[in-house]
Amino acid sequence: MSDIPNVLSLEGRVAVVTGAGRAFSAGGIVLRSSPSGHELVLGRRRRDRDGTTWSLPKGTPDGDESPEQTAIREVEEETGLNVRIVEPIGDIHYRFGRENRRIDKTVRYYLMEAIGGDVARHDHEFEEVRWFDLAEAEAIMSYPTEREVLHRALRVAGLDRVSGEGLPT
């Protein structure tokens, strides 16, 4: 962030913003048990501004969807998995610039479990979707705010964040 009003600093670049806006999305932290421990699903995107990113699935509401409905739909579309919400985790907040505007974004996350589906059925939003063991997922995640919400989800699930111990199988 720049200290100058209406100027947003994006990784060393400066953009003059003509106004501010707000955006909302909802998504999921999808966990599963495996013979080797517990795993998290992440998606990979290529972006011009920051290269390749690995991130949690999320998206914006369609019409008058509730945050829960949005999270389930977006996670299912983006990952190819069928999911159910286990528990709400909370919100993250960040700012970004788009078309010379500053956008204040809130993303509401839910702890989810996969109840079917296949990551091979993911939509076009991610180039690749795959399962990672928890330690690898934490290391590869691109955004600190998403790592922080993952830590919250793991505490709610009763898991030690590195070893994955604690969640009943």
Side-chain angles (χ1 to χ4, degrees), residues 24-25 44 72 106 149 167:
F24 177 83
S25 289
R44 180 177 58 85
I72 289 170
T106 298
V149 81
L167 184 70

Side-chain angles (χ1 to χ4, degrees), residues 4-15:
I4 303 168
N6 295 330
V7 174
L8 179 65
S9 177
L10 300 171
E11 298 175 11
R13 298 177 306 226
V14 174

Side-chain angles (χ1 to χ4, degrees), residues 1 5 10 15 17 27-28 42 61 68 92 97 105 108-109 119-120 131-133 140 154 156 165:
M1 272 302 120
L10 300 171
V17 293
L42 295 174
E68 294 86 353
I92 63 172
K105 183 149 189 179
R108 180 155 305 147
Y109 280 102
V119 295
W131 292 98
F132 291 90
D133 70 58
I140 200 169
L154 294 177
V156 167
E165 294 174 0

